[in-house]
Amino acid sequence: MNDSPVVRLEGVAFTYPGGEGVSGLDFQVRPGEATALIGPNGAGKSTILKGLLGLVPRTSGRVTGAVQSTDATTDAAGNGHAAPGMIGFLPQTTELDPDFPISLEQVVMQGRFARLGFLRWPGRADRAAVRRALDTVGLTGLAKKRFGELSGGQRQRGLLARALVSDPRLLLLDEPFNGLDQPNRDALVRTLQLLKQQDVAVLVSTHDLELAQQVCDNVVLVNRVQLAFGPVHEVLTLGNVQACFEGVEVEIDEHTLVVPGHEGR
């Protein structure tokens, strides 16, 4: 396995045109590792993911790896750009209308469009990639089913398959466990563990600290600035989490840290 970071951030700030953003980012994600972004509502977790996709300007620092290496001081837009298929992204919400007559496999095929371009129809390799992605998330038997007829958890896993179908080296997940029942939650955990075995690098925004302990190798604690980065057992201490979630009650026992559920930007 190549141990070089798939993505590395050094002194990075991502800032919206209005001035809101997140700064002081210094962390990396290696092949076969999952890293959790943890912080309160509005801490900048989603901003980091969107910044890595080039959707939020990078106003300082350097990003190297799966995202093209550029210095913000010499790049007018302040952004790096990933090669097609290099990064897979599962957003917190989707624009897909559940009533639209489209099958699950057609939704997953959308993830191949960056490779296909506008002038080429999906071929044998694309269809095989869709089958592999559906197999990875455990939905092979539902490929022909209309997307809107799937359960909420199955749709979430289908969208994950769409993010995986281009065989990304880096997978960005924005609160993927929100609203999932236990069977779909367990299936998603198994999928992430499988992806790590396949040397995919995973960066996941979550407020579920127990889940971070279960799936992730490292944690980035963030609240508009990076507060800590390192192995889960070193970073998810009561003191660190209380400092990150200032004003929010935090409980700890010998197994689990618990923070009340919330949604984060």
Side-chain angles (χ1 to χ4, degrees), residues 61-75:
R62 183 173 176 86
V63 178
T64 55
V67 176
Q68 177 182 324
S69 173
T70 53
D71 289 305
T73 55
T74 60
D75 179 12

Side-chain angles (χ1 to χ4, degrees), residues 34-40 45 204 206-222 227-245 250-259 262:
T35 295
L37 293 172
I38 292 179
K45 303 188 298 294
V204 53
T206 182
H207 62 262
D208 191 323
L209 304 188
E210 182 178 5
L211 205 79
Q213 291 174 319
Q214 184 179 0
V215 176
C216 295
D217 305 280
N218 298 301
V219 170
V220 178
L221 282 181
V222 60
L227 301 175
F229 166 66
V232 172
H233 68 279
E234 294 180 6
V235 173
L236 287 186
T237 64
L238 179 60
N240 281 346
V241 174
Q242 284 179 324
C244 184
F245 291 84
V250 181
E251 301 172 5
I252 185 170
D253 59 30
E254 62 180 358
H255 299 295
T256 306
L257 284 162
V258 180
V259 173
H262 63 283

Side-chain angles (χ1 to χ4, degrees), residues 144-166:
K144 301 295 184 181
K145 191 164 185 178
R146 188 167 68 83
F147 185 75
E149 294 177 349
L150 301 174
S151 70
Q154 289 170 338
R155 289 199 295 269
Q156 182 79 331
R157 288 156 59 195
L159 293 172
L160 176 58
R162 184 178 68 176
L164 293 174
V165 75
S166 61

Side-chain angles (χ1 to χ4, degrees), residues 108-126:
V108 177
M109 183 63 78
Q110 293 174 350
R112 297 290 290 186
F113 289 171
R115 289 178 179 268
L116 287 169
F118 293 104
L119 302 178
R120 188 167 72 85
W121 288 94
R124 181 180 301 175
D126 303 301

